[in-house]
Amino acid sequence: MGHPQPPHDPRGALVRPYAVTRGRTEPQRHIPIEAVLVASQAAVQEARFAGHDKYRIAVLCEPRAQSLAEIAAYCRLPLGVARVLVADMVADGLLSLHSAAPKEGFTERMDLLERVLSGLRKL
């Protein structure tokens, strides 16, 4: 399946995760791993000035919705780093958050997480 690849930057491997998040380890708001994110119309243009990683995330989420897990995987970011960046982008209006979590209960939520994990393994 053809997924858009964010622009590759060889410098990315040299930057420590805490530098990407400016030392923050907790996001502004909790974002579930299965949450679906969509870039706003102006996200790519505005994200150019918000930093390299935020730009990559905006480019990835512009053509189609992505889960937080997919964003972390495609951008090759640790999940915690991706969660902090995505929460910042949601707060700035660059991404729209759509929770995919079922309201029924724990069993249904675990089934969803297992499907997400299975999809990630297939990547």
Side-chain angles (χ1 to χ4, degrees):
M1 198 172 202
H3 296 288
Q5 294 296 319
H8 178 69
D9 186 352
R11 297 173 296 165
L14 303 174
V15 178
R16 298 279 185 220
Y18 63 83
V20 173
T21 62
R22 295 184 178 141
R24 292 178 300 134
T25 58
E26 293 296 321
Q28 294 180 24
R29 66 184 289 179
H30 176 71
I31 309 244
I33 190 171
E34 72 277 4
V36 177
L37 298 136
V38 180
S40 67
Q41 290 182 340
V44 174
Q45 293 300 323
E46 292 179 30
R48 288 181 193 271
F49 307 106
H52 173 73
D53 291 303
K54 289 182 180 180
Y55 175 71
R56 287 174 46 202
I57 292 169
V59 168
L60 185 64
C61 294
E62 183 186 32
R64 74 179 194 94
Q66 303 285 337
S67 71
L68 175 60
E70 290 172 312
I71 292 168
Y74 289 133
C75 293
R76 292 190 169 100
L77 292 169
L79 183 59
V81 171
R83 185 172 271 138
V84 169
L85 294 174
V86 164
D88 289 349
M89 293 177 76
V90 168
D92 293 340
L94 299 176
L95 295 177
S96 296
L97 172 66
H98 305 280
S99 180
K103 296 182 183 352
E104 290 82 22
F106 180 78
T107 303
E108 292 81 5
R109 186 172 171 87
M110 288 308 295
D111 289 342
L112 177 63
L113 288 174
E114 287 175 6
R115 290 194 310 267
V116 169
L117 184 59
S118 175
L120 288 172
R121 285 184 178 143
K122 290 177 183 179
L123 293 176

